[in-house]
Amino acid sequence: MKKIMPIYGTRPEAIKMAPIVKALQEAPDFECIVTVTGQHREMLDQVNELFGIVPDHDLNIIQPRQTLNSVMSKIIAGLDSVLEETQPDAIVVQGDTTTSTAGAIAAFNRGIPVVHAEAGLRSFNIHSPFPEEANRKITSQISSLHLAPTSVSKSNLLRETVNEADIYITGNTVIDALLDVVELEVPFSDPRLASLSEGVASGEKLVLITTHRRENQGNAMRGVGRAIARLARMHPDVQFLLPVHKNPVVREAVLPELEGLENILVTEPMPYGEFTHAIHLANVVLTDSGGVQEEAPGLGKPVLVMRENTERPEAVEAGTVRLIGTDEERIVHDVNELLTDQAAYAKMANAVNPYGDGKAGVRTVSAIAELLGVGERLSEFDDGLKRDH
Ligand code: UD1
Ligand code: UDP
């Protein structure tokens, strides 16, 4: 029995790691030991609860207004004793957060193979997203197995001279998670949201908004707040829904701009099932999130991304995602266009799914089995492994 340790700490990692945890728990050759860093707290626990995951180790490192260096140093120190105690045969990290890179470094320094899920995404700008572009490049340097979601991300890794035999195209596990929950149309727990479905059913439009990116905090995010407020005044018959990130820096920037507007609904971070239900109901998604850029296109929702670049070009090329930056005028113009111009809307509202088929979790486990030379290769999941799809 090989011990595999998924390590994660933030909301998006928890969502994207859940299908891997599930597949590991179901695989006969593996013992799955879940370690969370607690880089996030409420937003992490919310996801583990939904997927029924009870961590074996919890470093609980979160601090209000934490700095990158405090997060990274606490995680490396905390993980070192967990790794010494448990001696896993491999660890799995996901994506590009500080938890993910700190986890990779802690394992690498102990000679433990690092498996990197969602490998090979690149914006080609080391300052944006910050610090994520640097994080994922560092992790790629020290990983033994690179699980690329698409052929674009595989090409990025090959260009950086990663050995082709160590790269598998799995799809992105976010699609596994999304398909698991979206069909459920989970009812909203916030009573203020109860009327949302009825409003949408009777023709009301909904704009769903999220923002949190570190490089957007401050002036840019205040501008985002002003743009939302202007749009809400221009369209009193449209609902604007903002489940706001727990980060106080985000709240201080964006919330003061939104006060007193009845058609803007600000909520706490929504449980994942409810949030996917809200994407399903939305007409337009305005976001700077990575994961939301991957989910909404699959549901055919036009996504306006408040960033200058993206490491996820696939849905941009397909036309469902558009990069618009954080300029207040541009945000107002582009959202307004999608609310008022049917032809412009129809052009973007295509369901495309470049990020997977919902089997990335089991492909991940099959790739780990091959790395460690255990068990039967899962023949039904061979399709897609090591090949473009
Ligand atoms: C982190 C990741 C980012 C990811 C984002 C997902 C890094 C450097 N950044 O950014 O890549 O896109 O998560 O949301 O790894 N807080 C709480 N409770 C929570 C979560 C956050 O109170 O459950 C507050 C705390 O005050 C914390 C602050 O938010 O200090 C910032 O959290 P942090 O993880 O440092 O940064 P994020 O912006 O969330
Ligand atoms: N999400 C959620 N509730 C919310 C907002 C987002 O469950 O209120 C989910 C969303 O569906 C996606 C993930 O959180 O899967 C994205 O997280 P975030 O935007 O915080 O991080 P990023 O993807 O940018 O790293």
Side-chain angles (χ1 to χ4, degrees):
M1 195 79 130
K2 298 283 185 189
K3 291 188 211 167
I4 312 296
M5 181 181 287
I7 298 172
Y8 57 96
T10 66
R11 169 173 66 191
E13 294 165 84
I15 292 167
K16 291 171 172 180
M17 198 68 95
I20 299 175
V21 171
K22 186 172 155 209
L24 280 170
Q25 287 170 341
E26 285 169 2
D29 298 305
F30 294 124
E31 180 190 354
C32 176
I33 306 168
V34 172
T35 295
V36 296
T37 64
Q39 177 178 337
H40 283 177
R41 191 70 275 165
E42 302 88 336
M43 289 162 61
L44 169 72
D45 297 345
Q46 210 175 30
V47 180
N48 279 334
E49 209 172 289
L50 173 71
F51 289 103
I53 297 173
V54 180
D56 299 285
H57 303 273
D58 188 340
L59 306 182
N60 197 23
I61 61 113
I62 193 171
Q63 292 292 320
R65 299 171 195 268
Q66 58 204 3
T67 66
L68 296 177
N69 283 333
S70 80
V71 172
M72 182 161 284
S73 52
K74 280 197 213 161
I75 292 174
I76 293 178
L79 278 178
D80 202 42
S81 22
V82 174
L83 294 173
E84 182 167 33
E85 182 196 322
T86 51
Q87 303 283 331
D89 295 284
I91 65 108
V92 187
V93 291
Q94 198 287 331
D96 53 19
T97 66
T98 298
T99 283
S100 130
T101 302
I105 292 171
F108 179 77
N109 283 342
R110 282 193 164 268
I112 299 166
V114 174
V115 176
H116 187 199
E118 197 185 78
L121 276 64
R122 297 289 182 268
S123 69
F124 303 102
N125 179 343
I126 204 74
H127 300 293
S128 173
F130 177 86
E132 289 83 0
E133 178 77 355
N135 279 347
R136 51 192 169 225
K137 289 180 84 171
I138 295 166
T139 303
S140 291
Q141 291 296 312
I142 55 179
S143 293
S144 299
L145 187 58
H146 308 257
L147 306 174
T150 69
S151 54
V152 173
S153 34
K154 176 177 174 176
S155 310
N156 292 338
L157 292 165
L158 291 176
R159 216 173 298 130
E160 291 173 13
T161 70
V162 173
N163 184 1
E164 185 163 14
D166 301 332
I167 308 174
Y168 291 73
I169 295 180
T170 53
N172 197 316
T173 54
V174 76
I175 303 301
D176 305 29
L178 179 68
L179 296 180
D180 238 22
V181 297
V182 74
E183 298 275 297
L184 304 175
E185 297 198 359
V186 178
F188 298 117
S189 49
D190 184 327
R192 295 173 305 158
L193 285 168
S195 61
L196 210 61
S197 318
E198 291 155 34
V200 169
S202 64
E204 236 173 56
K205 288 185 176 164
L206 173 68
V207 178
L208 177 63
I209 305 153
T210 77
T211 181
H212 72 83
R213 289 247 82 80
R214 199 167 281 263
E215 66 275 10
N216 286 349
Q217 288 166 10
N219 274 341
M221 214 170 265
R222 278 190 282 278
V224 169
R226 280 194 301 275
I228 301 167
R230 280 173 59 188
L231 283 159
R233 284 191 197 97
M234 285 162 72
H235 296 281
D237 51 339
V238 173
Q239 277 292 336
F240 293 79
L241 171 60
L242 171 68
V244 69
H245 195 285
K246 277 281 178 195
N247 192 341
V249 179
V250 171
R251 293 180 175 213
E252 283 156 14
V254 84
L255 297 189
E257 310 290 342
L258 309 182
E259 275 165 21
L261 286 155
E262 277 183 9
N263 56 333
I264 300 180
L265 194 51
V266 176
T267 69
E268 286 299 313
M270 292 169 74
Y272 183 57
E274 295 185 33
F275 186 76
T276 59
H277 185 185
I279 300 180
H280 187 62
L281 294 179
N283 296 81
V284 179
V285 178
L286 177 67
T287 189
D288 59 15
S289 161
V292 178
Q293 274 178 74
E294 294 158 339
E295 293 161 339
L299 302 178
K301 304 300 173 169
V303 187
L304 300 175
V305 175
M306 298 180 287
R307 289 181 42 186
E308 305 301 335
N309 57 30
T310 183
E311 56 289 318
R312 295 170 169 91
E314 295 87 351
V316 176
E317 273 153 30
T320 307
V321 168
R322 185 190 298 158
L323 288 179
I324 62 166
T326 51
D327 177 64
E328 185 183 328
E329 297 303 326
R330 175 83 196 268
I331 295 171
V332 171
H333 174 272
D334 281 36
V335 174
N336 185 49
E337 183 182 61
L338 289 178
L339 289 173
T340 54
D341 181 339
Q342 270 188 11
Y345 188 84
K347 224 168 145 189
M348 282 187 81
N350 297 311
V352 292
N353 201 347
Y355 299 112
D357 57 3
K359 292 181 181 164
V362 280
R363 288 202 188 98
T364 297
V365 173
S366 189
I368 297 172
E370 204 164 308
L371 171 78
L372 299 179
V374 293
E376 293 284 300
R377 183 165 168 155
L378 305 174
S379 57
E380 66 268 43
F381 304 118
D382 270 1
D383 188 34
L385 273 178
K386 284 197 169 172
R387 285 192 282 120
D388 298 2
H389 62 265

